[in-house]
Amino acid sequence: MFFRKFKNKRISSVKFISLGLKGIFLTSLIICTTNFLVDPFYEWSIGKTINFKRKDYDERIQKTNYLANINSNYNALLLGNSRSTYLDVRKFDLGVNIFNYSVNAMSIYEYDQLIHNFVQLTGEEPKVILMGIDPHNLKGDKIEKLKIILDESTSKIKKIKNLLSIDMFRFSLETIAKTIQVELQLKDRKQRYYDNQLIKGNERQNIVSNEKYIKIENEDITYNVDFTLLEEYRKLKNKYPNSKFIIYFLPFHGELITKWETDLNFDEKNRKFISEIINIFGEIYYFNYKNEYNSSFTNYYDTYHFYPYFGDIIINN
């Protein structure tokens, strides 16, 4: 009797272990398959075939991965901070294939490393560099991080590890939810997502006023002109003599422009900064003047960021 009980327990334990292993395998399979098909960080070529709407989790990683794994057929480059991420580079008529390497909170000190990454992954120096400028520097440049991102963008070990990553699975589920939200045309004020062509947001015109977000953020804005940045722009111009530079200054909302105009000290410094930029590059496309478009509370979702359809208007001008 004792032997039979012992034997039954042993069989029960084997079944338990077997079920546990099957459960682990099934869970791992679900995680791997989901991460592979959804591909929130553009690590697999399948990312160009299924049009998920991927949130901008880390644009430095996502855009470098896109160049490395999805499409490197570019011969021109657009650089800028988060405001430039909403520009649809397909709308430019310059006779080149432009990659939008703009990322959130980009520092001028990152520009050179991003150009280096572009050259490494495409195999050629950009014929045209469209470069957004600001008279101040966003803090926290991530040059060393960009170097690591470049190395990891082609790492098979890193990609396989991410297939099994629980964090990546969470990003995948969020991507699926974002895709459903976009397809159902549910409210999404900031539109911080990319499609499989790396185009941010959508072209639908916003009709909801964002005045409360623009007015509130406009109260505590401090914006200083940093003339030390001019030397960094000179270095870029000299380092890439074979590239044509097209310099632009995107518009802030009219509320902020009005505030600047009342600050005569800032306005004078800003004009001097722009004058120095023209001395370096020859010309600038300057859009930061108040007009009917940037005075609207529906064309912007906050003081700094406009919607993609307004970006199309800027490109056409």
Side-chain angles (χ1 to χ4, degrees):
M1 191 68 178
F2 173 79
F3 175 78
R4 288 180 181 175
K5 287 184 178 181
F6 178 79
K7 184 178 180 180
N8 289 340
K9 287 183 178 180
R10 184 182 177 187
I11 294 173
S12 179
S13 298
V14 170
K15 287 184 178 179
F16 178 79
I17 294 172
S18 177
L19 287 173
L21 291 174
K22 288 179 181 178
I24 293 172
F25 174 78
L26 182 60
T27 302
S28 300
L29 183 62
I30 292 172
I31 291 173
C32 285
T33 303
T34 303
N35 288 344
F36 177 74
L37 292 176
V38 178
D39 193 19
F41 279 79
Y42 299 102
E43 294 183 298
W44 306 91
S45 59
I46 197 170
K48 65 184 177 183
T49 59
I50 304 178
N51 196 19
F52 283 107
K53 310 303 181 185
R54 298 161 175 89
K55 295 173 68 175
D56 57 349
Y57 295 109
D58 190 322
E59 290 165 318
R60 288 168 178 80
I61 296 176
Q62 288 169 299
K63 295 196 172 187
T64 303
N65 283 350
Y66 190 93
L67 270 180
N69 305 307
I70 308 297
N71 185 8
S72 61
N73 186 30
Y74 297 94
N75 58 3
L77 187 60
L78 186 145
L79 296 171
N81 56 32
S82 59
R83 296 192 296 134
S84 293
T85 62
Y86 289 96
L87 294 176
D88 185 347
V89 292
R90 299 173 302 180
K91 303 301 174 64
F92 285 99
D93 186 17
L94 298 174
V96 289
N97 198 14
I98 306 168
F99 181 72
N100 190 338
Y101 219 153
S102 303
V103 299
N104 180 50
M106 183 193 288
S107 160
I108 176 60
Y109 299 103
E110 295 180 77
Y111 279 25
D112 186 38
Q113 183 61 43
L114 284 169
I115 296 173
H116 172 77
N117 287 8
F118 178 86
V119 172
Q120 292 296 306
L121 294 171
T122 64
E124 62 178 301
E125 193 170 302
K127 293 180 179 179
V128 178
I129 300 176
L130 296 101
M131 192 160 64
I133 65 122
D134 279 300
H136 79 303
N137 181 46
L138 296 171
K139 303 299 181 182
D141 55 84
K142 301 176 180 179
I143 298 174
E144 293 305 316
K145 178 181 178 179
L146 286 171
K147 294 177 182 178
I148 295 172
I149 289 172
L150 176 61
D151 292 336
E152 292 184 344
S153 66
T154 55
S155 170
K156 293 182 180 179
I157 295 175
K158 179 71 174 179
K159 291 165 69 173
I160 292 172
K161 285 175 62 178
N162 282 341
L163 279 181
L164 289 165
S165 168
I166 299 298
D167 287 335
M168 191 64 69
F169 184 63
R170 175 171 58 83
F171 294 144
S172 294
L173 295 180
E174 290 177 357
T175 297
I176 293 171
K178 174 59 67 177
T179 303
I180 294 172
Q181 178 186 6
V182 173
E183 292 300 320
L184 294 178
Q185 297 187 17
L186 301 178
K187 184 178 179 181
D188 184 1
R189 183 170 68 88
K190 295 185 177 182
Q191 298 183 20
R192 295 183 58 174
Y193 59 83
Y194 289 93
D195 65 11
N196 61 347
Q197 296 185 62
L198 210 65
I199 303 301
K200 194 170 189 177
N202 63 69
E203 294 184 333
R204 290 193 300 273
Q205 186 165 348
N206 175 57
I207 59 174
V208 179
S209 173
N210 291 314
E211 181 177 0
K212 65 178 181 179
Y213 301 104
I214 293 169
K215 288 288 188 179
I216 292 174
E217 293 192 3
N218 193 41
E219 293 176 357
D220 301 317
I221 288 175
T222 56
Y223 208 83
N224 299 312
V225 178
D226 186 354
F227 288 98
T228 64
L229 302 180
L230 294 171
E231 183 57 31
E232 297 302 317
Y233 288 115
R234 288 191 187 94
K235 289 178 181 178
L236 287 172
K237 181 68 166 61
N238 294 331
K239 188 169 182 178
Y240 301 98
N242 297 323
S243 298
K244 177 183 178 181
F245 281 85
I246 299 177
I247 309 303
Y248 63 88
F249 193 125
L250 292 176
F252 293 94
H253 191 272
E255 290 288 313
L256 180 56
I257 297 174
T258 299
K259 184 175 181 179
W260 285 358
E261 290 174 345
T262 59
D263 184 348
L264 297 180
N265 183 47
F266 174 85
D267 189 56
E268 181 181 350
K269 288 182 178 180
N270 185 52
R271 290 175 183 272
K272 184 178 179 181
F273 185 89
I274 297 301
S275 177
E276 291 296 327
I277 288 291
I278 294 173
N279 288 336
I280 296 171
F281 294 102
E283 64 179 358
I284 182 174
Y285 290 87
Y286 189 83
F287 299 99
N288 197 45
Y289 54 88
K290 194 169 182 178
N291 55 50
E292 60 178 304
Y293 296 109
N294 60 29
S295 297
S296 167
F297 289 114
T298 59
N299 290 339
Y300 285 68
Y301 69 75
D302 62 20
T303 309
Y304 301 97
H305 301 93
F306 50 77
Y307 287 108
Y309 67 85
F310 182 45
D312 291 349
I313 295 174
I314 294 171
I315 293 172
N316 290 333
N317 281 276

